[in-house]
Amino acid sequence: MEKYAVVICGGGSTYTPDMLELLCFAQKDFPLRKVVIYDSNEERQRKIGEYGKILFRDYYEDVEFSYTSDKEEAFRDIDFAFVQIRAGGINLRSSDEKIPYRYNCIGQETCGAGGLSYGIRSVPEMIQLITDIRAFSPDSWIINYSNPAAIVAEATKRVFPNDRKIINICDMPTQIMDSYLPLVNKKRSDVEPRYAGLNHYGWFTGLIDKKTGVDVLPEILDICVNETDTVKKQLNEMYIGDKHWGSTFQEHLNMILDYPYSLPNTYCLYYLYPDTCYSHYNEDFTRSDEVISGRGSNVEKYCDSIIKLGKMKETEFDLGIHINNNGNDVSNVTSSTIAYNDVHAPYLIELAISIINNSHDICLVMVENNGIVPNLDHGMMLEIACRIGKYGVEPLHVGEVLTFEKGLLENQYASEKLLVDAIFEENYQKLLQAFTINRIVVDTDRAKNMIDDFIKVNGDYWPNFK
Ligand SMILES: NC(=O)c1ccc[n+]([C@@H]2O[C@H](COP(=O)([O-])OP(=O)(O)OC[C@H]3O[C@@H](n4cnc5c(N)ncnc54)[C@H](O)[C@@H]3O)[C@@H](O)[C@H]2O)c1
Ligand SMILES: O=P(O)(O)OC[C@H]1O[C@H](O[C@H]2[C@H](O)[C@@H](O)[C@@H](O)O[C@@H]2CO)[C@H](O)[C@@H](O)[C@@H]1O
Ligand SMILES: [Mn+2]
């Protein structure tokens, strides 16, 4: 049986423990010979690296596990690169979120001015990373989570136009399916999604039951409209203790009631309800602060405890690993790390399994439009349903989008396209246009003031726009 070599880029990521543990759970369906975690910040990765040594020794000893900041050590002889870097780190995410508030604008990780600022940092680092991976493993799959995925996808499309093994993905639609499918007693592996839009700005147009061929989305929307209180209660229970996602999904349900003909991505909230979102956020304690004190701190404590014990088996951290024996459905076998049981790792591994088995599972990934949605810009990197196999990504037919969605998407794509132009040309005028055309920014003076502030905090992460 073939065994694969995986590198996780951004090894210091808060998602890495979940990812490593799920690789142990999925060893029957995704057999591995080598796992390397790679990070440009040795210190940030060290604890997760030391924890990973214990994990693989206890649960997957025939895998060669290591951690490094050396590119050749990380990228030589690799089959899959899972990429989850945060260019500039969490502190600059904090600036991305706080600077817009100075000008009465929402600050968000991937949307609006914050997302544009983040995109300017991410693009050069992602291009360098992919170039480095390709230098040592020209035929490896590069599956990227790093944000802002829409802007990264637009930029990598231009620099690596013929590289069919770069896949940009997002786990938000997966999370939305997991949140609403229980209303019709289904889970994610029971349906094939139909979806269209840009990353973090799209809509489900169908959820096809694999057994019957029936689209269960209309029934879900009907329940949302006619049994709203039941749905509110179910979402509250699902996200009990998770204030951010709990409140996000309550607002998301309100958006469905306003536009009850499709199931939008949660991120549409920032574009369609900017004033409501602005009023709900605390500019002195934004989402990045919650992540630092929540997921970030939990993951660090988790790794520290295991490193201190020197083992996981027969401790409170014992994963009770059983070889995943329920077929390809790793989404049923979530890891038990304290980081959080989430869709992030399962989604990535489900994708990899569909590739190695050539099973053509349908996943939502970002591909160049090229007429799949004939009334949208053909260069748009659309997040749509695609069949995933060992020879690449094959998009399903979509057809035209409605006027409302077309108007929103063309506007957003103009912002993202102008931003990538601005980055490559170091062009201030296009930078100003990218900010001003964005539905969350709108005003030229506000855009100019934010850009001035972003230039100050981003330093060398930003080119010298002129
Ligand atoms: N696509 C999605 O739906 C999705 C879901 C969740 C998270 N994300 C993204 O995944 C990334 C990781 O999230 P996180 O909260 O774990 O971030 P994090 O800040 O906890 O970790 C990111 C790691 O990347 C490292 N890094 C930064 N630049 C690098 C480079 N050029 N080369 C190698 N390593 C580098 C950092 O040192 C850090 O250890 C972010 O971009 C986040 O937005 C995407
Ligand atoms: O604010 P964060 O860092 O917690 O999350 C930002 C990311 O949010 C989405 O990913 C979600 C995922 O969709 C859902 O499973 C949730 O429970 O956890 C993930 C991250 O916490 C979004 O898709 C990402 O692009 C964002 O980076
Ligand atoms: Mn996402």
Side-chain angles (χ1 to χ4, degrees), residues 14-15 86 90 93 97 108-110 118 145 147 149 169-176 199-200 239 242 244-245 249 267 287-288 290-291 295 340-344:
T14 56
Y15 298 95
R86 185 179 295 284
I90 193 82
R93 172 181 178 176
E97 293 172 353
Q108 216 282 322
E109 179 198 28
T110 60
Y118 187 13
Y145 255 136
N147 270 321
I169 61 171
C170 169
D171 54 16
M172 197 72 238
T174 307
Q175 185 75 16
I176 293 165
N199 173 248
H200 286 191
Y239 290 99
D242 188 332
H244 172 71
W245 290 109
F249 275 97
Y267 281 87
R287 180 60 187 161
S288 52
E290 291 174 356
V291 170
R295 184 170 76 241
Y340 55 107
N341 289 329
D342 185 57
V343 293
H344 189 87

Side-chain angles (χ1 to χ4, degrees), residues 150-151 154 198-199 412-421:
I151 293 167
E154 173 63 22
L198 288 163
N199 173 248
Q412 179 62 16
Y413 184 53
S415 176
E416 294 170 1
K417 203 165 133 182
L418 282 163
L419 189 85
V420 174
D421 291 349

Side-chain angles (χ1 to χ4, degrees), residues 21-210:
E21 292 186 9
L22 213 59
L23 289 173
C24 293
F25 274 107
Q27 55 190 279
K28 176 173 166 288
D29 297 304
F30 187 35
L32 304 177
R33 54 186 166 83
K34 177 167 81 165
V35 174
V36 187
I37 64 173
Y38 163 79
D39 203 297
S40 54
N41 179 333
E42 282 185 282
E43 209 28 58
R44 166 87 195 204
Q45 174 174 255
R46 189 179 313 285
K47 278 182 182 176
I48 291 181
E50 286 304 313
Y51 140 83
K53 279 183 181 173
I54 296 167
L55 171 73
F56 281 90
R57 185 203 64 207
D58 280 10
Y59 297 107
Y60 208 166
E61 58 186 357
D62 54 347
V63 163
E64 177 200 329
F65 173 79
S66 64
Y67 65 96
T68 182
S69 289
D70 177 86
K71 291 179 181 180
E72 180 163 6
E73 205 178 309
F75 303 146
R76 185 170 293 288
D77 180 30
I78 288 297
D79 300 302
F80 288 89
F82 295 156
V83 185
Q84 47 189 29
I85 69 169
R86 185 179 295 284
I90 193 82
N91 292 335
L92 282 178
R93 172 181 178 176
S94 182
S95 306
D96 293 342
E97 293 172 353
K98 291 179 174 64
I99 286 174
Y101 280 107
R102 297 176 193 165
Y103 307 100
N104 306 314
C105 202
I106 314 165
Q108 216 282 322
E109 179 198 28
T110 60
C111 301
L116 296 172
S117 167
Y118 187 13
I120 295 169
R121 297 196 301 273
S122 292
V123 164
E125 299 220 5
M126 282 302 301
I127 289 170
Q128 186 59 57
L129 190 60
I130 292 170
T131 303
D132 294 336
I133 294 167
R134 281 284 171 261
F136 296 106
S137 292
D139 201 34
S140 61
W141 287 90
I142 298 174
I143 305 180
N144 176 55
Y145 255 136
S146 311
N147 270 321
I151 293 167
V152 167
E154 173 63 22
T156 51
K157 166 197 84 176
R158 299 189 195 186
V159 178
F160 309 99
N162 305 311
D163 193 325
R164 284 175 55 83
K165 299 179 104 170
I166 298 172
I167 301 181
N168 288 288
I169 61 171
C170 169
D171 54 16
M172 197 72 238
T174 307
Q175 185 75 16
I176 293 165
M177 284 194 274
D178 286 0
S179 302
Y180 286 91
L181 281 168
L183 292 175
V184 291
N185 302 312
K186 298 285 177 202
K187 57 186 188 321
R188 167 164 104 241
S189 50
D190 298 329
V191 301
E192 290 181 357
R194 296 296 183 270
Y195 183 96
L198 288 163
N199 173 248
H200 286 191
Y201 209 162
W203 294 262
F204 282 95
T205 52
L207 291 167
I208 315 300
D209 185 316
K210 288 178 181 173

